[in-house]
Amino acid sequence: MEAGNLLGFIPLNQPPQRLVRSPRFSAFPRTVTVTLTVNASLSSQGENRYKGPRPGREWIADWVSNNDDLVRSLPIYVGGLSLLAVLFNRTVSGIAPVADASSSQSRADLLTLGLAVTNILNGLVWLSIRPKSISLVNPNGVECQRIASHLPDFVISELLWAWNSLSDVTCCRSLVIVYDGKCILQTGFAAASLSNGSDAVVVDTNKLIEGSLYLGVLKSALQSYLANLSLYPGKSQLPFLPSNTQAVILQPLGDKGMAIIGGDTIRGFTSDDQVWITLIGEKLDATLTKVI
């Protein structure tokens, strides 16, 4: 008998699939269709076109981001040209090549040479220090989907809706929901069991709810975002997540539970995602309160 049956979970034959990410409002085709129809109608008539202010573009920021190597090397070019210009000016002006402290021209040249060398050194620093590139990773684990068997069908449907929504439009790859001291949902990627590599690690709710992460989130009643999970010692309290989970959101569900959302990218959850997850948490709490 599988571990999922022993714990009261319903094993599903089909593992959850990673959906193609689409715009946030793709779940409302009716609204989009109406909007496109209206816009097409207005465009065909050539009237009532929007003439108000439009969002501005940061041209300088876009140019810098698209020409990163050139911008980092620019101080070296400026400093080198300044150095050559000072030497050329001193050569053609007939001034003695030896610096004379009593000469204002020599003092100005020395100051210019110092600035040119500073530019060159600054360019070398910019080239040697680069921000670490951030990319998504493939979770090291197995796919699973376990749902508590005692839940009504409408609650199961809402739990699966939450999972599909999160995995569709965010970097979410794992979702665990603990409510009233029980794990009612574990889906997505999970850590592989040491005894059987094809099975997912079962969530030990007793150990989880005694940990500082769980207690801290419930006490504050606020969402906790671990943007880079590898930097947090509390990672050891989430052994059921894949070992290379990059980011985690701990979303309280009222005062009786918590949703644990694992992502595949460092700082992959945007501020809009966090607000949206908070609203989903409130909706799940309102539904679960009715049956648990």
Side-chain angles (χ1 to χ4, degrees):
M1 183 177 294
E2 298 182 355
N5 293 334
L6 290 175
L7 296 175
F9 290 108
I10 302 176
L12 301 182
N13 295 328
Q14 296 296 330
Q17 299 295 326
R18 175 69 168 168
L19 300 179
V20 178
R21 297 181 182 177
S22 57
R24 176 68 51 83
F25 297 102
S26 61
F28 305 98
R30 182 176 301 174
T31 304
V32 175
T33 304
V34 173
T35 303
L36 293 177
T37 304
V38 174
N39 289 340
S41 177
L42 292 178
S43 177
S44 62
Q45 295 178 1
E47 300 177 354
N48 299 327
R49 293 183 178 179
Y50 177 72
K51 299 181 180 180
R54 300 179 182 275
R57 296 184 60 184
E58 298 182 359
W59 299 101
I60 297 178
D62 292 342
W63 183 85
V64 169
S65 62
N66 295 330
N67 301 273
D68 183 70
D69 292 336
L70 176 61
V71 172
R72 291 178 181 276
S73 304
L74 192 59
I76 298 178
Y77 298 139
V78 173
L81 291 176
S82 300
L83 186 61
L84 293 176
V86 172
L87 297 177
F88 179 77
N89 177 68
R90 195 167 185 87
T91 301
V92 300
S93 60
I95 303 175
V98 179
D100 183 5
S102 63
S103 170
S104 59
Q105 181 65 39
S106 296
R107 293 194 295 270
D109 290 344
L110 289 175
L111 179 60
T112 305
L113 289 173
L115 294 176
V117 172
T118 301
N119 271 331
I120 294 175
L121 294 177
N122 188 40
L124 293 175
V125 171
W126 283 9
L127 288 175
S128 61
I129 301 177
R130 293 175 178 269
K132 183 179 179 181
S133 59
I134 298 176
S135 58
L136 61 87
V137 301
N138 293 320
N140 293 330
V142 296
E143 291 185 275
C144 71
Q145 190 170 83
R146 295 168 172 165
I147 306 176
S149 58
H150 65 278
L151 297 176
D153 291 341
F154 76 93
V155 176
I156 294 177
S157 298
E158 185 158 330
L159 292 175
L160 294 178
W161 164 83
W163 158 246
N164 291 331
S165 300
L166 292 173
S167 61
D168 188 19
V169 299
T170 72
C171 67
C172 171
R173 303 298 296 274
S174 306
L175 176 62
V176 173
I177 296 180
V178 177
Y179 201 83
D180 197 27
K182 300 177 182 178
C183 179
I184 61 174
L185 175 67
Q186 182 183 13
T187 186
F189 282 89
S193 175
L194 296 179
S195 59
N196 187 351
S198 61
D199 292 338
V201 173
V202 178
V203 179
D204 187 348
T205 55
N206 293 329
K207 186 176 180 180
L208 176 64
I209 62 180
E210 294 175 357
S212 58
L213 286 179
Y214 189 93
L215 295 177
V217 170
L218 288 189
K219 183 178 180 180
S220 64
L222 297 174
Q223 181 186 99
S224 178
Y225 181 25
L226 310 182
N228 189 352
L229 185 60
S230 62
L231 301 180
Y232 292 88
K235 178 182 179 180
S236 60
Q237 301 178 29
L238 308 172
F240 44 84
L241 294 179
S243 59
N244 62 341
T245 299
Q246 301 295 294
V248 166
I249 285 184
L250 305 175
Q251 174 61 46
L253 305 179
D255 57 355
K256 298 177 63 177
M258 183 170 66
I260 303 172
I261 304 166
D264 58 8
T265 309
I266 295 176
R267 293 186 292 276
F269 294 101
T270 66
S271 56
D272 290 339
D273 293 338
Q274 297 173 52
V275 175
W276 188 52
I277 290 173
T278 300
L279 297 178
I280 290 181
E282 293 175 355
K283 177 174 176 55
L284 291 177
D285 177 49
T287 300
L288 293 173
T289 302
K290 301 175 182 177
V291 296
I292 299 180

